[in-house]
């Protein structure tokens, strides 16, 4: 089957891991993704319907516009992909317009523009909610027209929402399948990793996600598949889930001689997974933090 790329560049995107993820996803009528990101799993699976969530309101609003009015959106977005906008001064001026705008449609157009013109396709906001990714300085940023068209076509089967992941779990029903690609746990435990957080998703959230996955599989007969780094911490969180490990091509070091393959895991919770599988790590945290 032909693989379909997302129209957004996305850190941690799952395009390269579609095959192992698809192989582990159970069959069902609806796929629910509490952390949809760029949507590679959505774009490369074939469920009857999809419930796609992300905590980033700009991302979800963009998807809603692409679904509702794809031709108009593509026509308007293409106007931003011109040579004069591929300059630092133009980029920073448009980024400032994005941060000052309260118009959802204009912000969606600029979100796509910044995704393709900003550094490394990053999506980053400061503590005040200001988008602050610097200019990427690419020779000719790609306008993803075909990818947008395919996304819009596939989105006919999808509903896009912006909620905390806990609320998304509550919407699941028997016959659904849940796939979670949360902000990953740290590869290396800091001396006091209780303060760890990426995009506001800290250790407490990691633990709560594992707890809910075990609970929904055991008590409600809804399978859950989770992606994460393969570490001692995640192995403890997902203990007694059906875990498979895989190596990915991205590197954890910027230095050429220090690059190592990163190992990730897929943790599958089925109905036979014990609801009490999540190991309490509070005591361990206190010991590490002292």
């Amino acid at each position: 089957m032909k693989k379909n790329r997302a129209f957004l560049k996305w850190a941690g995107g799952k395009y390269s891991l579609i095959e192992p993820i698809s192989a582990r996803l159970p069959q069902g009528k609806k796929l629910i993704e509490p952390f949809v990101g760029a949507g590679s799993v959505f774009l490369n699976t074939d469920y009857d319907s999809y419930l796609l969530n992300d905590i980033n309101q700009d991302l979800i609003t963009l998807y809603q516009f692409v679904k509702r009015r794809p031709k108009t959106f593509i026509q308007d977005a293409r106007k931003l992909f011109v040579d004069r906008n591929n300059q630092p001064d133009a980029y920073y001026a448009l980024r400032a317009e994005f941060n000052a705008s309260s118009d959802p449609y204009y912000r969606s157009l600029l979100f796509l523009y910044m995704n393709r013109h900003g550094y490394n396709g990053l999506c980053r906001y400061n503590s005040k909610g200001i988008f602050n990714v610097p200019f990427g300085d690419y020779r000719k940023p790609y306008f993803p027209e075909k990818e947008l068209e395919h996304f819009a076509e596939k989105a006919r089967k999808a509903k896009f929402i912006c909620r905390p992941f806990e609320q998304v779990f509550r919407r699941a029903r028997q016959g659904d399948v849940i796939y979670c690609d949360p902000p990953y746990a740290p590869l290396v435990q800091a001396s006091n990793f209780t303060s760890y957080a990426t995009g506001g998703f800290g250790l407490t959230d990691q633990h709560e996600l594992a707890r809910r996955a075990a609970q929904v599989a055991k008590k409600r007969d809804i399978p859950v598949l989770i992606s994460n780094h393969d570490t001692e911490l995640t192995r403890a969180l997902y203990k007694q889930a059906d875990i498979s490990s895989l190596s990915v091509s991205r590197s954890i070091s910027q230095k050429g001689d220090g690059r190592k393959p990163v190992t990730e895991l897929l943790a599958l919770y089925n109905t036979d997974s014990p609801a009490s599988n999540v190991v309490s790590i509070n005591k361990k945290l206190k010991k590490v933090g002292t």
Side-chain angles (χ1 to χ4, degrees), residues 95-161:
R95 191 183 73 174
E97 288 188 22
F98 173 86
N99 285 320
S101 176
S102 59
D103 182 310
Y105 185 65
Y106 189 48
R107 284 178 66 92
S108 294
L109 294 171
L110 290 175
F111 190 91
L112 174 60
Y113 160 81
M114 293 186 300
N115 176 263
R116 287 287 170 174
H117 290 75
Y119 179 74
N120 216 25
L122 293 175
C123 180
R124 189 182 67 196
Y125 304 79
N126 66 17
S127 60
K128 297 181 179 179
I130 302 299
F131 190 91
N132 61 3
V133 175
F135 180 59
D137 198 19
Y138 300 108
R139 187 177 65 84
K140 188 174 179 60
Y142 174 67
F143 181 65
E145 181 169 1
K146 292 182 179 179
E147 291 82 354
L148 282 161
E149 290 174 343
H150 179 75
F151 187 98
E153 179 70 23
K154 187 72 181 284
R156 294 178 181 179
K157 300 166 64 174
K159 180 177 182 179
F160 300 97
I161 61 174

Side-chain angles (χ1 to χ4, degrees), residues 197-214:
T198 298
F201 202 86
L203 190 60
T204 301
D205 299 298
Q206 297 283 357
H207 188 272
E208 180 62 14
L209 174 61
R211 187 190 72 80
R212 285 181 181 265

